[in-house]
Amino acid sequence: VAIKSLRPGQNVENICVLNSTMVGFAFADGITIGFETNGPVMKDILARNCDIVLSGGGNAVGRHSAFSIIADGPGWVTDVRFENLRVEAAVDRLFELHVTDGSAYVKRGPGHIRGVYLKDITWAAAKPIILSGLDDNHLVEDVVFDHCTVAGQPLRRDMTDIVTIDPFVRNVTFKTP
């Protein structure tokens, strides 16, 4: 599933992905919000009760993730919830929030990611989780990991071999059981 905003004036709102099994063969995530975030706002997006079996291949920010938000255009991605997702395979990356410079597909400049809530996410294998803003004006902010596990262990901020948070990410919270 790829949720995009292709046109500069196009808002994307109130999207639900429910009760699905995702298989991202070559060059695909299980669920992606972005790559083409050209509209002013992408908001109120929910993915709930899904199994992600496979994702893989390369892309403009390295490798594909089980699920991700890639803000590569000037739009704001906000108020996104991922709930009760199970990532069953040893994917290249578990999860990623990434603000790019906007040069990979369009020349409209970077955006912003705010308000991402992850609850009851289970990743079977220990692979990278990447949170990456671009600069002080194009941030990733207000991210909550609530009762998430990686390889059977509660996800914590101090799992630096898994979790990478760059200097342009603000207000990340980890809640464990």
Side-chain angles (χ1 to χ4, degrees):
V1 172
I3 301 167
K4 300 175 180 288
S5 176
L6 299 175
R7 294 186 305 269
Q10 177 186 40
N11 285 330
V12 174
E13 303 178 61
N14 302 314
I15 304 291
C16 292
V17 179
L18 305 172
N19 308 319
S20 300
T21 299
M22 311 295 178
V23 179
F25 289 105
F27 307 103
D29 289 5
I31 302 168
T32 303
I33 299 169
F35 281 120
E36 292 99 355
T37 55
N38 299 317
V41 162
M42 298 178 75
K43 70 177 185 175
D44 299 323
I45 299 169
L46 169 67
R48 179 184 292 144
N49 195 35
C50 296
D51 292 284
I52 299 169
V53 180
L54 180 66
S55 70
N59 63 25
V61 294
R63 306 293 299 166
H64 280 279
S65 303
F67 56 104
S68 65
I69 300 174
I70 310 295
D72 71 333
W76 280 65
V77 181
T78 185
D79 301 321
V80 177
R81 292 180 68 93
F82 296 102
E83 298 177 1
N84 195 26
L85 302 184
R86 295 159 302 278
V87 179
E88 301 166 2
V91 296
D92 293 329
R93 293 179 176 175
L94 300 180
F95 175 67
E96 151 175 41
L97 298 176
H98 198 120
V99 177
T100 77
D101 66 3
S103 66
Y105 296 102
V106 296
K107 304 288 188 230
R108 293 190 180 100
H112 203 104
I113 299 171
R114 178 189 296 157
V116 179
Y117 186 79
L118 300 96
K119 181 172 177 49
D120 297 325
I121 310 299
T122 303
W123 290 282
K127 296 285 186 160
I129 292 174
I130 300 166
L131 308 181
S132 178
L134 180 64
D135 57 36
D136 285 323
N137 296 313
H138 304 94
L139 301 170
V140 170
E141 51 186 343
D142 303 330
V143 179
V144 176
F145 292 92
D146 185 356
H147 292 87
C148 299
T149 61
V150 174
Q153 300 298 315
L155 179 64
R156 299 179 323 272
R157 177 186 291 274
D158 66 355
M159 297 173 122
T160 56
D161 56 327
I162 295 171
V163 179
T164 301
I165 301 174
D166 84 5
F168 304 113
V169 176
R170 308 284 188 270
N171 195 22
V172 179
T173 303
F174 292 81
K175 298 178 181 180
T176 57

